[in-house]
């Protein structure tokens, strides 16, 4: 999720830009960035669904103690993501006020937007990657030497073709579709995007009615990617992005599915509804010029029984749940049910 141009949202056609910095951190360091404990810092916003994928993956894989975390303020200014939640408005590890400073150290005058998730090389202070599509796949497959004992296999070899196919459809119609609807500039563009969102959700419903997870009997990368959009659906996409044919709570299958994941360690404990709502409603002034944040929806239902365990499946396969959230990374009380 990029920053800047907040007042232009909804005034020009939306097109998601490709990640400009697509070098990878790999076990063999073939791009010059080897996997190394303590070397890198993950920069996220808890408001951003793309960054939230990395938060969930990092928790499930137990990488908290080898890949440090910087959380940006959900409210951007024209310089984009800022570290104003930290003392003195500086990230305590990188020593910078704005994520753009890490971009500048990598490429002076970079013309694109400053987006999260981003991984920064701590010794040099340079951005390594902002490739949100590849980043979590690499955490699952290239960082295995640093995974916790009992970490799940989020991208199993035998299921990769199916996972890739499901993720491609979910990305096109749901993950990105809600943005194309929300930032549409005319009725036709909006209706096509909105119809695509609900068409895909309706196709996923019978699949998830008969099986607990999207692919196979365990949580995979596909579930992470669908979850980060669904958890935001009623809070921001239904109203702010006008994806309002129905609420997620009105679809019994999807509502139970997303509650099941939310209540699974590593998912709900990364979600901050306060950051989510304030970001969307206060930053996108092109479509919400008053910056008023709605009081709803009621969050109490997120912790109600979902009964999805009756479908079988094992969330972590042969692995185990992640441990407690590390000190200092907890979600504030106002951001959770």
């Amino acid at each position: 999720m990029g920053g800047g141009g907040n007042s232009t949202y909804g005034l020009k056609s939306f097109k998601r830009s490709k990640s400009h910095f697509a070098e990878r951190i790999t076990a063999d360091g073939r791009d010059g960035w080897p996997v190394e404990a303590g070397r890198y810092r993950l920069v996220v916003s808890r408001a951003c669904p793309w960054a939230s994928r990395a938060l969930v993956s990092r928790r499930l894989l137990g990488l908290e103690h080898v890949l440090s975390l910087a959380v940006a303020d959900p409210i951007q200014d024209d310089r984009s993501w800022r570290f104003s939640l930290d003392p003195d408005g500086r990230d305590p590890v990188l020593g910078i006020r704005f994520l753009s400073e890490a971009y500048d150290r990598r490429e002076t005058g970079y013309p694109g937007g400053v987006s999260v998730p981003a991984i920064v090389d701590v010794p040099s202070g340079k951005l390594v990657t902002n490739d949100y599509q590849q980043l979590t796949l690499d955490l699952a497959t290239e960082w295995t030497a640093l995974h916790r004992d009992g970490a799940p296999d989020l991208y199993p070899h035998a299921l990769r073709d199916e996972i890739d196919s499901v993720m491609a459809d979910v990305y096109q119609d749901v993950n990105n579709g809600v943005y194309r609807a929300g930032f549409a500039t005319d009725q036709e563009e909006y209706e096509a995007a909105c119809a695509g969102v609900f068409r895909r959700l309706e196709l996923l419903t019978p699949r998830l009615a008969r099986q607990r997870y999207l692919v196979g009997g365990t949580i995979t990368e596909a579930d992470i990617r669908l979850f980060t959009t669904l958890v935001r659906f009623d809070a921001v996409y239904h109203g702010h992005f006008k994806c309002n044919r129905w609420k997620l709570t009105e679809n019994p299958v999807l509502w139970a599915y997303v509650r099941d994941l939310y209540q699974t360690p590593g998912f709900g404990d990364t979600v901050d509804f306060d950051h989510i709502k304030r970001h969307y409603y206060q930053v996108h002034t092109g479509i919400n010029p008053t910056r008023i944040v709605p009081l709803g929806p009621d969050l109490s239902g997120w912790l109600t029984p979902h009964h999805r365990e009756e479908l079988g499946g094992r969330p972590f396969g042969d692995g185990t749940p992640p441990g407690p959230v590390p000190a200092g990374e907890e979600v504030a009380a106002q951001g959770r049910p």
Side-chain angles (χ1 to χ4, degrees):
M1 183 181 284
N6 301 331
S7 62
T8 67
Y9 289 124
L11 305 180
K12 60 182 181 180
S13 293
F14 176 74
K15 183 178 181 181
R16 186 167 301 284
S17 58
K18 292 183 179 179
S19 299
H20 181 73
F21 300 100
E23 289 179 4
R24 297 168 59 190
I25 301 169
T26 57
D28 63 6
R30 57 187 176 270
D31 284 356
W33 305 105
V35 170
E36 186 179 324
R39 176 171 175 176
Y40 304 102
R41 190 155 175 83
L42 174 65
V43 181
V44 302
S45 163
R46 293 191 186 275
C48 169
W50 319 96
S52 290
R53 296 176 179 181
L55 279 171
V56 174
S57 296
R58 176 177 172 270
R59 280 276 293 132
L60 294 179
L61 299 172
L63 294 172
E64 295 104 320
H65 303 297
V66 299
L67 177 61
S68 67
L69 182 67
V71 178
D73 192 314
I75 308 302
Q76 300 154 289
D77 64 17
D78 289 339
R79 292 163 292 185
S80 191
W81 299 109
R82 53 187 182 165
F83 298 109
S84 44
L85 301 179
D86 294 302
D88 301 321
R90 290 186 183 274
D91 178 78
V93 173
L94 300 173
I96 57 178
R97 294 185 181 277
F98 298 92
L99 178 56
S100 59
E101 295 174 55
Y103 277 67
D104 290 341
R105 288 176 185 172
R106 173 68 184 275
E107 182 179 314
T108 303
Y110 161 61
V114 176
S115 64
V116 289
I119 294 184
V120 178
D121 177 50
V122 174
S124 67
K126 293 180 179 179
L127 176 80
V128 177
T129 179
N130 67 345
D131 190 346
Y132 62 94
Q133 295 284 57
Q134 187 62 44
L135 192 154
T136 48
L137 296 179
D138 284 344
L139 292 181
T141 60
E142 297 288 340
W143 289 65
T144 51
L146 298 177
H147 287 181
R148 66 179 175 89
D149 292 339
D153 186 352
L154 298 175
Y155 196 46
H157 270 285
L159 298 175
R160 286 185 186 179
D161 287 347
E162 186 178 0
I163 291 171
D164 289 346
S165 176
V166 170
M167 291 194 306
D169 290 339
V170 167
Y171 171 81
Q172 174 66 27
D173 295 335
V174 182
N175 300 147
N176 206 41
V178 292
Y179 281 86
R180 289 187 290 110
F183 295 149
T185 58
D186 61 48
Q187 190 71 27
E188 185 177 8
E189 182 183 358
Y190 158 73
E191 289 186 9
C194 186
V197 169
F198 286 94
R199 181 173 59 248
R200 181 60 55 192
L201 293 179
E202 285 160 1
L203 287 170
L204 290 171
T205 298
R207 181 188 189 101
L208 289 168
R210 62 179 181 265
Q211 63 191 54
R212 190 170 178 185
Y213 303 110
L214 279 173
V215 183
T218 64
I219 291 165
T220 68
E221 175 79 15
D223 296 292
I224 296 172
R225 295 190 180 194
L226 181 56
F227 171 81
T228 57
T229 295
L230 293 187
V231 79
R232 290 162 172 76
F233 202 87
D234 288 4
V236 289
Y237 300 144
H238 180 273
H240 184 58
F241 278 179
K242 307 180 186 72
C243 294
N244 63 354
R245 282 187 49 202
W246 37 264
K247 294 177 181 176
L248 198 65
T249 54
E250 295 167 356
N251 181 309
V253 171
L254 295 183
W255 177 224
Y257 166 76
V258 75
R259 287 187 351 263
D260 184 7
L261 291 175
Y262 184 88
Q263 293 171 32
T264 299
F267 283 84
D269 52 31
T270 70
V271 174
D272 191 321
F273 285 107
D274 174 62
H275 280 208
I276 290 168
K277 288 172 57 177
R278 286 194 293 122
H279 169 80
Y280 281 89
Y281 284 102
Q282 293 190 331
V283 169
H284 301 157
T285 54
I287 54 177
N288 188 37
T290 64
R291 303 179 78 238
I292 291 171
V293 180
L295 292 175
D298 179 8
L299 300 177
S300 61
W302 281 99
L303 300 179
T304 57
H306 52 75
H307 306 295
R308 295 282 294 177
E309 62 278 354
E310 297 170 9
L311 293 170
R314 296 178 299 156
F316 305 102
D318 294 329
T320 57
V325 176
E329 294 189 9
E330 302 92 348
V331 174
Q334 69 267 27
R336 50 186 167 84

